[in-house]
Amino acid sequence: MKITESKFYRDRCYINGEWITADSGETISVNNPATLEEIGTVPKCETAETKRAIEAANEAWPEWRAKSARQRSDILRKWFDLMIQNKEELAQMMTIEQGKPINESRGEIGYGASFVEWFSEEAKRVYGDTIPDPMTDRRIVVLKQPVGVVASITPWNFPNAMITRKCAPALAVGCPVVIKPASQTPFSALALAVLAEEAGFPKGTLNVITGKASAIGDELASNPIVRKLSFTGSTEIGKILLQKCSGTVKKVSMELGGHAPFIVFDDANIDDAVAGAMQSKFRNTGQTCVCANRIYVQEKVHEEFCKKFVDAVSKMKVGDGLNEENSSGPMIDEHSLSKVEEHVEDAVAYGAKVAIGGARHSLGLNFYQPTILTDVTPQAKITTEETFGPVAPIYKFKDEKQVIDLANNSPYGLASYFYSRDIGRIWRVAEALEYGMVGVNTGLTSKAEAPFGGVKESGLGREGSKYGIDDFIEIKYVNMCGLDK
C-alpha cells in the first residue's frame, strides 16, 4: 500500500469542515522511517491558520454543547465503529509513516478506538450533585459543564491513540477540539478527521492543523479562546507550554517524560518477568514513554534472568514494520538513533557490558539492534535520562529497601513495574513506588478503563477511565434561594 493511494490520505489540513492548504502554500515532507523515502506532504501552517482553527472551534461550541449527551454519544459511537471497520488500512498507514510493526499498529488502532467507545458511554454519565443547605429555604446545586475550546498537541510514537485519548473525552462533554499532530506522523491524524466527518461531527467541532510546531504551539497556548490544553511529549517542552498557558490561566493536562523502573524480585516467576520485560522494553522499538528504562534484578535471580532475557532478544527480527515477521522496526529519525548510540557508548565507557546488540543494525538507515547492557553503573547517562530506544540496561540489587530507593531516585514518575509472588511485598512496593502507574506481574498496563498519567515531572492530570473526563469540565455552583415563598 502507498499512503497516497489510501482513501484516507489527505495532504491538507481540516479546519471548519474544509480541507485547506497553508496560506503560504508551503508544505512539510513526511518520510517513511524504514526507507527514508518521502511518502507525502502536509501544509506548513503557522499562526494565522491556527487562529482560524481556534475561531472555528469557538463558533462550533454553542451548537455542540447544546446537543444532548445521547446525541454526542451516538456520533462518537459512529466514529468508533468506522475506526474498527477500517482498522487494517489505518494500521498500514500508521506503519508506513511511523515505522512500528504492523501487528502493533493494528493493536494501536483498536486501543485508540477503545477510548472513543469508552467516552461515548461516559458522555451520558457526567453527573452533578444536589447538596443539602443548612438553611431550609434554599438548595445547593452543582453542575458540570464543558470547559470550552480544547487544544491537543500529540506525539509521533502513538499517532492514533494519543489523539483519541485526549479528544474523545473533550468531545463527549461538549468541547470542540483543535488537534496539532506531530509533523513526522500527520496522516494518521488526518485520517481520523476523515472518519470524524463521516461520523457526523458538525463543522468546526474537530479541527486538525499541521505545520510549524513553535508557531502553532505558541498560539494554542496563548490564545484566550483556548480554555484547555492537553499535551503529550517531553518534559522540557511541557514546561515551556505550562509557562505560556499561565498567561491566560488555562486548564492543562501534561503527559510528559518517563524513566520507568522494572524490578524483578527473587520470588518472581522469571519466565513471566522476561516476557513482561520484552513487552515493556521493546514495544514500538522502545519508543514509548512508559517502557522499561532501568531493569533492576535481585542478586539471587540475576544470572538466570539475564540469560533468559538475552535468549529472548536474540530471537527478535528487525526490519520494515510492514513485514509480518518483524517484531522491531526503525527509530523515528537519525536524531533519535544518535541518542541511543550516545547512551550505549556512554554506559560502556562507565563499565557496562554489552550482552547482545550494542550497535546500528546491518540494515542501516534508522535501524538499531535490540540491545541489553549488564553491569550498568549509576554514573551512566542511561541511568538518569530517558533513552527512547531499544536498549535495556540491567542493574543488580540486594534488598527491597535498596531497590525502592533506586527506583524512586528520579524526577520522573510515570510508569513502574515489578514482579513478585509475595502478597505482602506486592502491597508494600506498590504503595512505596512514586509513580502514577504500577504494573504488578505485567509489562503492559494501558487500557481505556484505567487512569493514565504520572506524578512529579511526568505530568498533570489523567487520561482514560472515569477520571479522564474531569479535566474537560468546569464545576458550577448554583445557590437557589427563596424556595419557601
Side-chain angles (χ1 to χ4, degrees):
M1 166 184 161
K2 290 185 178 180
I3 278 186
T4 53
E5 297 174 351
S6 169
K7 62 185 176 183
F8 299 121
Y9 174 76
R10 295 292 185 278
D11 59 0
R12 302 188 174 200
C13 294
Y14 187 65
I15 297 176
N16 202 27
E18 298 181 355
W19 296 95
I20 62 103
T21 59
D23 292 352
S24 65
E26 292 186 65
T27 61
I28 295 173
S29 177
V30 183
N31 299 317
N32 181 336
T35 64
L36 306 186
E37 296 173 347
E38 180 181 286
I39 55 176
T41 62
V42 291
K44 189 179 182 180
C45 295
E46 296 197 31
T47 303
E49 299 93 328
T50 307
K51 286 182 177 179
R52 291 202 295 274
I54 293 169
E55 290 162 2
N58 196 44
E59 290 174 8
W61 187 31
E63 177 189 350
W64 184 242
R65 70 185 178 191
K67 289 186 180 294
S68 69
R70 168 70 72 176
Q71 289 173 315
R72 293 194 299 271
S73 174
D74 287 346
I75 295 174
L76 280 162
R77 180 72 200 197
K78 289 178 184 176
W79 199 27
F80 162 77
D81 289 338
L82 288 167
M83 290 180 202
I84 297 302
Q85 290 167 17
N86 294 280
K87 182 176 181 178
E88 185 61 26
E89 193 162 342
L90 293 173
Q92 289 190 35
M93 175 176 280
M94 183 187 298
T95 291
I96 292 170
E97 69 171 344
Q98 199 278 336
K100 66 178 60 179
I102 186 64
N103 283 327
E104 290 189 23
S105 292
R106 291 172 184 140
E108 183 181 336
I109 300 302
Y111 174 59
S114 72
F115 288 100
V116 179
E117 179 186 38
W118 174 265
F119 286 111
S120 73
E121 296 162 350
E122 288 296 293
K124 298 172 283 186
R125 302 187 183 100
V126 183
Y127 302 134
D129 294 290
T130 302
I131 302 172
D133 193 286
M135 302 183 71
T136 59
D137 67 335
R138 55 196 65 186
R139 299 292 184 273
I140 298 170
V141 176
V142 177
L143 307 177
K144 294 183 179 180
Q145 297 180 316
V147 66
V149 175
V150 171
S152 296
I153 302 177
T154 58
W156 51 262
N157 58 339
F158 288 91
N160 175 286
M162 296 302 97
I163 291 173
T164 58
R165 197 164 74 184
K166 296 177 184 301
C167 294
L171 293 163
V173 299
C175 299
V177 297
V178 178
I179 303 164
K180 165 60 177 77
S183 295
Q184 297 100 321
T185 56
F187 295 119
S188 290
L190 294 167
L192 285 174
V194 174
L195 294 178
E197 188 174 48
E198 188 175 341
F201 285 98
K203 68 176 186 177
T205 305
L206 184 146
N207 307 272
V208 179
I209 184 166
T210 63
K212 192 174 180 180
S214 58
I216 295 172
D218 283 352
E219 186 60 33
L220 292 176
S222 61
N223 193 308
I225 295 174
V226 176
R227 304 296 292 276
K228 165 68 190 277
L229 185 141
S230 181
F231 170 74
T232 294
S234 72
T235 296
E236 178 186 9
I237 299 300
K239 289 178 179 180
I240 294 171
L241 289 171
L242 278 169
Q243 291 176 337
K244 293 180 182 296
C245 286
S246 69
T248 51
V249 196
K250 299 188 194 307
K251 295 188 75 165
V252 294
S253 294
M254 293 279 154
E255 197 267 280
L256 308 176
H259 202 246
F262 187 102
I263 304 167
V264 182
F265 287 103
D266 57 15
D267 64 312
N269 181 309
I270 300 303
D271 290 335
D272 288 350
V274 168
M278 292 292 296
Q279 187 176 46
S280 175
K281 176 69 260 182
F282 294 106
R283 184 166 60 101
N284 199 17
T285 318
Q287 299 173 115
T288 81
C289 55
V290 295
C291 76
N293 280 277
R294 296 167 289 153
I295 300 177
Y296 296 105
V297 185
Q298 202 158 11
E299 291 175 332
K300 183 179 176 181
V301 295
H302 180 268
E303 184 177 348
E304 179 186 0
F305 176 87
C306 290
K307 182 177 181 299
K308 291 183 175 180
F309 194 28
V310 168
D311 183 60
V313 169
S314 70
K315 297 173 183 175
M316 294 182 69
K317 292 186 177 181
V318 178
D320 192 320
L322 289 176
N323 185 331
E324 299 269 357
E325 294 183 356
N326 293 330
S327 54
S328 184
M331 302 293 294
I332 190 66
D333 55 28
E334 173 66 27
H335 174 75
S336 297
L337 185 61
S338 296
K339 184 179 181 182
V340 170
E341 283 190 309
E342 177 191 350
H343 275 200
V344 171
E345 290 170 3
D346 175 77
V348 171
Y350 277 107
K353 295 181 177 61
V354 177
I356 190 171
R360 295 193 182 213
H361 199 277
S362 58
L363 290 169
L365 304 175
N366 288 330
F367 292 96
Y368 195 87
Q369 297 173 0
T371 297
I372 295 176
L373 303 176
T374 60
D375 298 333
V376 185
T377 62
Q379 294 82 10
K381 290 180 180 180
I382 204 168
T383 304
T384 56
E385 297 179 13
E386 186 176 26
T387 304
F388 231 63
V391 182
I394 299 178
Y395 308 77
K396 190 184 295 184
F397 73 91
K398 293 181 179 180
D399 56 40
E400 188 177 306
K401 182 183 183 307
Q402 182 196 24
V403 78
I404 289 173
D405 290 342
L406 290 168
N408 288 339
N409 185 26
S410 172
Y412 302 105
L414 188 56
S416 58
Y417 310 87
F418 71 91
Y419 277 70
S420 172
R421 288 178 286 185
D422 180 326
I423 188 62
R425 170 177 279 166
I426 286 172
W427 276 107
R428 289 192 306 272
V429 176
E431 292 178 354
L433 288 171
E434 297 172 354
Y435 291 82
M437 298 175 286
V438 182
V440 183
N441 296 324
T442 179
L444 184 63
T445 59
S446 303
K447 56 194 69 180
E449 297 81 0
F452 188 104
V455 299
K456 299 191 283 187
E457 292 189 22
S458 284
L460 302 165
R462 293 295 181 269
E463 296 180 337
S465 82
K466 67 176 184 178
Y467 304 104
I469 218 156
D470 293 345
D471 284 336
F472 300 94
I473 57 176
E474 294 282 17
I475 293 176
K476 180 183 286 184
Y477 151 49
V478 181
N479 189 2
M480 296 185 178
C481 301
L483 302 181
D484 59 348
K485 296 178 182 179

